[in-house]
């Protein structure tokens, strides 16, 4: 299954997205996590598009991957602006209704969008190891590496770094680790390589410290929600997932074994649980 690489102007910023499958099929927006890129969704998008039923759009968030970096980081690296980008993206693609699969930050964008600007247009929402409340120690852990990304002399060293910090993703093949690395690397002026994102995106946690506290929005939702929780996740705690079962849309919660934050959505078992949920609609 081949994909196409595309660019659109959204809210005055150039946003890159990868598209998989027939544009006339049922649309799915698959949005990546905080310091990652849309290419993290390659395996899931390949599978869903390969069924012939789905058209999958995988954006790079502003400041990540091949999308433009924000000239106004304090105001644009936040969930509210990411939702504006999402609205502009789906409107330009002519998508009236669609499903949303979001890993970590990508799920938080979907949650907020479903409660506000895209209410009624998101048919089914999949939250991959994210909820309306995050564990503070995990936020501090992410801030510690995301705000000051390491740089290395070689791509191979960068891959070893990724294998270490993203070990909680669960099992990944050597080929998947190599693709993750090569699809999220940029070279610095001094010749070293570093992860392909704007370090200023971590300003979100300083300028918008409550951006991920979203119980009010959660309680307003009524659409079907599937929450995937890595069994050893330090970001989405068991008590938060339990509350998600009984509050708001009363999510279906599925624990993904062998993973922390966040399951990579890269193996048949992950595909099956997402596909089953989407097809129930």
């Amino acid at each position: 299954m081949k994909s196409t690489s595309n660019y659109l102007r959204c809210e005055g910023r150039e946003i890159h997205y990868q598209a998989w499958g027939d544009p006339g099929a049922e649309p799915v927006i698959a949005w990546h996590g905080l310091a990652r890129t849309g290419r993290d969704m390659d395996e899931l998008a390949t599978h869903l598009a390969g069924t012939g039923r789905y058209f999958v759009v995988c954006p790079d968030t502003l400041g990540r991957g091949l999308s433009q970096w924000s000239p106004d980081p304090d105001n644009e690296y936040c969930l509210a602006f990411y939702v504006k980008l999402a609205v502009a993206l789906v409107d330009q693609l002519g998508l009236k209704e669609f499903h949303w699969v979001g890993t970590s930050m990508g799920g938080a964008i979907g949650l907020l969008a479903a409660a506000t600007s895209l209410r009624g247009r998101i048919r089914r929402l999949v939250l991959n190891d994210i909820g309306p409340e995050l564990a503070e120690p995990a936020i501090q852990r992410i801030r510690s590496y995301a705000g000051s990304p390491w740089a290395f002399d070689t791509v191979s060293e960068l891959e070893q770094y990724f294998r270490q910090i993203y070990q909680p993703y669960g099992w990944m093949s050597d080929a998947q680790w190599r693709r993750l690395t090569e699809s999220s690397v940029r070279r610095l002026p001094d010749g070293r390589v570093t992860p392909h994102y704007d370090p200023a995106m971590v300003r979100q946690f300083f300028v918008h410290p409550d951006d991920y506290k979203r119980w009010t929005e959660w309680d307003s939702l009524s659409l079907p929600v599937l929450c995937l929780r890595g069994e050893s996740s330090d970001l989405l705690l068991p008590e938060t997932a339990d509350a998600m079962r009984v509050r708001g849309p009363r999510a279906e919660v599925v624990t993904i074994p062998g993973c922390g934050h966040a399951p990579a959505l890269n193996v048949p078992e992950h595909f099956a649980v997402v596909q089953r949920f989407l097809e129930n609609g």
Side-chain angles (χ1 to χ4, degrees):
M1 173 64 64
K2 292 184 178 180
S3 63
T4 62
S5 178
N6 310 270
Y7 297 84
L8 282 174
R9 200 79 174 169
C10 301
E11 293 291 323
R13 309 288 178 242
E14 184 175 81
I15 298 300
H16 172 260
Y17 68 94
Q18 210 77 12
W20 305 77
D22 179 1
E26 198 171 335
V28 177
I29 304 298
W31 209 295
H32 64 84
L34 181 75
R36 301 297 312 133
T37 80
R39 296 296 305 276
D40 281 9
M41 297 294 187
D42 277 14
E43 283 83 13
L44 179 65
T46 298
H47 173 80
L48 291 177
T51 67
R53 177 168 176 170
Y54 299 104
F55 171 59
V56 188
V57 175
C58 307
D60 288 341
T61 310
L62 184 74
R64 284 78 159 181
L66 298 178
S67 288
Q68 181 179 353
W69 286 19
S70 174
D72 186 11
D74 283 1
N75 290 313
E76 295 185 355
Y77 290 145
C78 62
L79 295 183
F81 193 74
Y82 298 154
V83 169
K84 289 183 178 180
L85 295 174
V87 172
L89 179 71
V90 297
D91 283 353
Q92 289 185 71
L93 292 175
L95 307 180
K96 291 182 170 53
E97 292 185 341
F98 41 88
H99 304 300
W100 188 291
V101 179
T103 292
S104 193
M105 177 197 70
I109 299 169
L111 190 165
L112 181 58
T116 57
S117 305
L118 294 176
R119 179 177 287 274
R121 295 176 64 182
I122 298 178
R123 294 174 53 197
R124 287 182 165 255
L125 176 62
V126 179
L127 303 178
N128 184 23
D129 211 63
I130 191 75
E133 180 180 342
L134 309 183
E136 186 60 31
I139 293 176
Q140 297 302 323
R141 173 180 60 80
I142 293 169
R143 282 171 52 175
S144 70
Y145 73 79
S148 302
W150 285 52
F152 301 90
D153 291 331
T154 67
V155 174
S156 296
E157 290 172 292
L158 180 63
E159 179 179 325
Q160 291 306 311
Y161 168 73
F162 282 148
R163 285 175 179 254
Q164 177 184 347
I165 64 168
Y166 294 136
Q167 184 274 334
Y169 283 13
W171 180 88
M172 292 177 62
S173 69
D174 288 342
Q176 288 170 345
W177 280 117
R178 180 60 48 85
R179 179 191 51 75
L180 180 150
T181 302
E182 292 181 345
S183 64
S184 54
V185 59
R186 64 182 176 93
R187 196 169 293 278
L188 296 168
D190 64 6
R192 294 181 300 163
V193 292
T194 195
H196 203 336
Y197 64 82
D198 179 1
M201 62 85 180
V202 82
R203 295 284 300 159
Q204 177 183 21
F205 294 102
F206 299 95
V207 182
H208 309 274
D210 296 327
D211 219 9
Y212 288 89
K213 295 179 181 177
R214 297 292 176 177
W215 281 114
T216 298
E217 289 83 1
W218 175 262
D219 289 336
S220 79
L221 296 178
S222 58
L223 78 169
V225 179
L226 169 66
C227 175
L228 307 176
R229 180 182 180 273
E231 68 173 343
S232 58
S233 174
D234 63 342
L235 191 81
L236 179 61
L237 299 180
E239 52 266 34
T240 303
D242 288 343
M244 292 168 69
R245 285 188 172 98
V246 298
R247 289 180 59 169
R250 299 185 179 183
E252 174 188 353
V253 178
V254 175
T255 299
I256 305 297
C259 299
H261 181 76
L265 304 184
N266 65 323
V267 294
E269 294 79 9
H270 301 172
F271 305 155
V273 68
V274 172
Q275 184 178 347
R276 173 193 56 78
F277 175 74
L278 296 183
E279 291 182 354
N280 280 344

